Structures are given as C-alpha cells and as structure tokens.
Amino acid sequence: MAVTASSKPSESEPEVRTAAGVLRGGREAGLAVFRGIPFAEPPVGPLRFAAPRPVRGWDGVRPALTYGPPPPQSGVLGVSQDTVGDDWLTLNVWTPGPDPAAGLPVMVWIPGGGYAMGDSSLPEYDAGHLAGSGAVVVTLNYRLGIEGFAQIDGAPANRGLLDQVAALQWVRDNIRGFGGDPDRVTVFGQSAGGGSVAALLAMPRAAGLFHRAVAQSVPGTFFSPELAADIAAAFAAELGVRPTVSGLSAVTPARLPAAGDAIFAKTVQWRERWGQITHRPIPFAPVVDGDVLPVTPWQALADGAARDVGLLVGHTRDEHRLFSLIDGVLGQVTHEQTETALHMLAPGPDGARRYRQAFPAATEEELYELVNADWLFRMPSLHLAGAQIAGGGRAHLYELTWPAPGLDGALGACHGLDVPLVFGNLSSGQTATLIGDPPSPVAEELSARIRGAWTAFASHGDPGWPPYDAVHRLAQLFDTPSTVTAYPEETSRLLWQDHTFPALPLLPLLPLLPLLTR
C-alpha cells in the first residue's frame, strides 16, 4: 500500500512510526492527535464475517488527520446509516506528545450503543480533556449489529469483540511510539462498551492486553448460542437469505442494519421465544459461545479469571429514565406496563410481589423504572464488582447520583450522563440537552472530579476511595458534594442477591421452520 511520500515533519505535524508504517497527525490544544488509524484490514469481500486480519503495511507517510468511516449501524435512534468507505476498523490517539520515553498510562475507550450503534468520531468522545490530564487516550470502532454480533453459521462468534482484541493488540505493539506505556493499559467503556469491557475480562484472547478496566453501566444481557442463532435466523429471513456466511454475504453491508431494525421494531412478536430481551428490546449482545467467550463475565470473574486486573465499575442512579423518554412513557407509565415489567424482569418466581413489598411507597412509574434499571444495568454492574472480589481480585464501586439539570431535571441521573462527565465535553453533541448550555460551574467541577478519578485509576490503580468488599460495601457517590458511603441501593441488592445473570436462553418452543423455508 502506497501513501504520500514523506517530507520532513514539522512541530505542527507530528509523526510516529508504527509496525505498519509512518503516520502523520496534527496538533490540537497542545496535544498530538492521530485519527483514522487502521488496526485491521477492512472486513469486506473475502474477509467479511471473518476474524479481523492484521493491517497491511504502507510506504511513505500516511496522513492520520480524519476519522475513519463508522461501521454500518442501526438507524433506530436517528443515527445516520451512511458509511463512506469500508475501512471501519480504525482507532484514534490523543497524546501529550509522541515521546517513546514518556511512559504515560494508556486509556482505551470502547463506545456503547446497544452493540448496534456506535462511532468513535462522535464529538462527545473527543479525548482532549482526558489526554490533557497526562494520559494517552485511544478510541476505536468495531463491527456492530449483524456484522459484529449475529450468530452466523460458518463465522466466528463475537466478531465485534474480536475487533476490540485486535485494537488492543495494536496498542500493545505500537503505543510506546505515541508516549504510552504498554504495561499500563486501561480499557474503559459505557453501556455496550461497558458490557464489552466485562466480556474482555472473561476472554482468554484478551488476557494480558490490558491491566485495568473501567466498566460503566454494564448491561446484563449475554446470549446463549441457541438464542443468538434463533435471532440470526430471523434477521436472515427478513432479508430472504439463510443465516450463513454465504447467505448473508450476498447482502451488501449497508442493507444489513435495516433488517436488524425491522426485527428490533417487532421483537414483541418473539416474546414467547426470546423472553426478556423483547421487553427493552435488545436484538444484539455478546454470545457465550464456549470459545471466544467461554462463560459469562460474572462466572469468569468469580472463578478468578481477572483477579490480576484492577476493576472500577458502577452505574447511574436513574438508568432507565432516558429510555422511558425515548419510548414515550415518561410520566405516563400504566399499572399494566409496570406489571408486565415486574413479571418479566424481577428475579425469581415471586419477583413481582417481592418488588412491590420491598418498595411499598413507590409509584407505578417508580417501580417500572426500578425493575428495568436493576435488570439491565444496576445489578449487573454491582454483581460484576461482587464477582471480582469473590474471585480474589480488587474492585472499586461508584454510583452517579447527580441529576442532569437539562430538561428541567426530568431525567435525573440518567443512562449516559456519565459519558460527558468522564470526557469533559459538556457542550458537545447531545450533551448540552442533559448538562445545560452553558454548563454550570457545578457540572464543570463534577466532571473534573470524575476525570481525575478515572485518570488516577489508569495511572496507579486507585481512584481515590476504598475498594468494595462484601462487609462494608463502600461506594463513591458522584454528586455535589460527592461522598463515600455504603452502596445506597440496598433494597435492590437484596432482591437480586441470589441472581447469577446467566446467558439468556432460547425458550423451548417450536423452531423457526416457516421463516427458514419461506
């Protein structure tokens, strides 16, 4: 591969030699920034639905000034599905200076988006503030939706996770040239990014590629192979093909997200087969396939798989409030909707009654939000900390309780509020709706505190509060002011204390023969 011939670099055009060739970046606010760096070959043509392949080298100097194209993805929330080019597997680096002797901590961000959406070029993921605190920050893209997570006959499972491993291998092999220490790598992510971090902790292929992990709002949804295969059959049937590499390869990448969206829109029709995931609905998740992902993260950590990896994990207080707004039920949840949610999601055969008994003063809407938040994010995150210490490791727990001031405070400490606070981009993208524009001094101060905790953890493993244990259950509550106290969601913790978050099964009904043969 040939690119622009090299000329002598200037101070404003920093250059770094990687294993594949020389990259030329730019300077922004005193940082060197490199965008759109390929870490694997484009997963198209004969490489479609395959494990990622190492990127080929190039001659001369490759400009690294613009983000790579996003992977094809869902348009459910109005995200553009337009993809220019097929070089989806790229990453971006912010560094105080590409000095190989600097030895700075490295932070690798995995975007969220339900394993169906996500793009490292979003303005809220600009890592200038984090890198300005003295870290090398990497953000990345990975395959999403059917391309990355559908269970396809003839293809490896969890291709999106394998992409993340390939990016971490690139970091191991190249980050020293950017000023990073390959022996001090922290992965961090939120929502599906947090679920990816949890999966990486359990994956033998990722062992040794990172040394600390920050998992924000970890979803509890991991699929059994049977459930994942059944969902893939529905995707393929929507497209009129079979759920195989050859069948789906006949469909252009740009067309696949529409099939995922179509199934996404009518998952309630599959409730008797797919169960709980039709309530949210959630058509994509990592698959516990026994190979790429041998067991669930909770089992792996309890077995000691990540005891040598420092873990920082937590959630927001009002995880489901944003989804209530998106679903159009905020402020108008009915008794029937609450009953459905309680019976589908609460743990144990008597879970619905136990929830009502445990929260006697809660309104219908409060119960609805509680059980949704507990099932999808709050209790999976808490249980990840518990599994880590059960396996002999160390974990720090937090909860974001500061209510977002935007929309007259209607969203509380909602899902996703932590992202702008971690990155410090309080007026970027959709952030201004939550934080308020301009952001208040209180928001700026809280963001600085959270950024400081994340970068301190990446640097030396201590975010600034005591580790979690099974006796005191101490957690950092991020608020104004922030405090360290016993984990506050004790009622929910007791309701879920015996739940194991297994791989979600395919319910025992007739197979999809009509779909597969139509």
Side-chain angles (χ1 to χ4, degrees):
M1 180 187 300
V3 293
T4 306
S6 177
S7 60
K8 186 176 180 179
S10 68
E11 178 64 23
S12 63
E13 296 179 317
E15 290 185 1
V16 171
R17 179 172 293 280
T18 70
V22 178
L23 295 164
R24 177 174 292 164
R27 290 218 172 255
E28 300 173 15
L31 299 170
V33 183
F34 300 79
R35 294 185 170 92
I37 304 170
F39 63 83
E41 284 294 292
V44 295
L47 300 184
R48 188 133 180 240
F49 304 115
R53 301 282 181 87
V55 66
R56 291 173 293 168
W58 58 83
D59 299 321
V61 177
R62 181 184 181 115
L65 300 173
T66 59
Y67 291 107
Q73 57 192 275
S74 170
V76 167
L77 296 182
V79 177
S80 173
Q81 298 183 54
D82 294 333
T83 297
V84 180
D86 52 23
D87 203 0
W88 313 324
L89 302 184
T90 63
L91 53 78
N92 320 289
V93 180
W94 286 256
T95 175
D99 177 5
L104 297 173
V106 181
M107 302 177 70
V108 180
W109 172 254
I110 302 175
Y115 309 103
M117 298 169 281
D119 181 0
S120 64
S121 71
L122 295 178
E124 48 263 47
Y125 298 152
D126 184 288
H129 294 291
L130 276 176
S133 301
V136 177
V137 184
V138 179
T139 66
L140 59 92
N141 286 338
Y142 56 98
R143 279 174 285 183
L144 301 165
I146 295 173
E147 296 280 354
F149 290 93
Q151 185 81 350
I152 300 170
D153 188 22
N158 299 305
R159 296 168 298 283
L161 297 179
L162 292 175
D163 294 343
Q164 296 166 17
V165 170
L168 288 168
Q169 291 169 335
W170 184 96
V171 168
R172 177 197 61 196
D173 297 339
N174 295 284
I175 206 63
R176 193 179 298 279
F178 295 83
D181 182 352
D183 295 320
R184 274 200 299 169
V185 175
T186 298
V187 290
F188 69 127
Q190 181 266 351
S191 196
S196 296
V197 169
L200 290 168
L201 287 165
M203 290 172 60
R205 287 171 174 81
L209 294 176
F210 60 95
H211 312 89
R212 299 184 182 106
V214 182
Q216 305 169 212
S217 299
V218 178
T221 47
F222 283 70
F223 292 171
S224 67
E226 296 78 15
L227 175 61
D230 207 62
I231 296 172
F235 293 147
E238 186 75 21
L239 292 160
V241 300
R242 296 187 64 82
T244 63
V245 168
S246 60
L248 287 166
S249 291
V251 182
T252 62
R255 280 188 59 207
L256 285 189
D261 289 350
I263 298 300
F264 188 101
K266 56 187 179 184
T267 49
V268 68
Q269 298 180 15
W270 309 92
R271 182 155 291 177
E272 292 186 352
R273 296 184 62 81
W274 300 348
Q276 292 173 314
I277 63 165
T278 63
H279 177 74
R280 186 40 269 150
I282 302 166
F284 300 105
V287 182
V288 182
D289 67 311
D291 177 22
V292 175
L293 185 59
V295 295
T296 66
W298 298 273
Q299 182 179 334
L301 267 60
D303 291 342
R307 65 166 59 96
D308 296 326
V309 178
L311 175 63
L312 172 59
V313 60
H315 58 77
T316 70
R317 182 188 58 202
D318 306 305
E319 286 279 10
H320 196 264
R321 192 77 56 83
L322 177 65
F323 298 107
S324 290
L325 176 67
I326 293 170
D327 294 344
V329 300
L330 186 65
Q332 48 189 321
V333 174
T334 66
H335 173 77
E336 290 72 24
Q337 288 170 323
T338 301
E339 279 295 291
T340 297
L342 287 171
H343 282 282
M344 288 196 69
L345 306 179
D350 199 23
R353 183 193 63 80
R354 292 174 63 232
Y355 251 88
R356 289 194 177 276
Q357 187 177 54
F359 297 100
T363 65
E364 294 294 327
E365 182 149 3
E366 288 168 344
L367 279 172
Y368 177 84
E369 290 191 354
L370 277 167
V371 72
N372 272 285
D374 284 344
W375 172 74
L376 187 51
F377 296 117
R378 300 202 316 175
M379 294 303 104
S381 300
L382 175 67
H383 279 224
L384 199 70
Q388 175 71 340
I389 64 173
R394 180 183 173 103
H396 291 82
L397 182 68
Y398 75 89
E399 182 176 12
L400 176 61
T401 56
W402 180 71
L407 299 176
D408 297 322
L411 295 183
C414 65
H415 186 72
L417 178 60
D418 49 330
V419 173
L421 295 172
V422 166
F423 278 88
N425 300 319
L426 303 185
S427 301
S428 301
Q430 301 297 316
T431 300
T433 304
L434 291 176
I435 304 293
D437 192 13
S440 68
V442 168
E444 297 278 8
E445 179 183 353
L446 181 60
S447 175
R449 179 184 295 273
I450 294 176
R451 287 201 315 276
W454 265 231
T455 54
F457 180 75
S459 179
H460 49 72
D462 184 354
W465 65 90
Y468 182 74
D469 64 50
V471 177
H472 301 98
R473 305 189 190 281
L474 293 180
Q476 171 75 66
L477 304 190
F478 285 113
D479 210 323
T480 51
S482 297
T483 58
V484 177
T485 186
Y487 179 67
E489 315 305 340
E490 178 67 3
T491 303
S492 291
R493 185 190 72 80
L494 292 173
L495 285 168
W496 288 83
Q497 63 182 340
D498 297 324
H499 190 71
T500 58
F501 290 99
L504 296 172
L506 175 67
L507 301 184
L509 292 176
L510 293 175
L512 283 173
L513 291 177
L515 284 174
L516 294 176
T517 56
R518 83 178 187 187

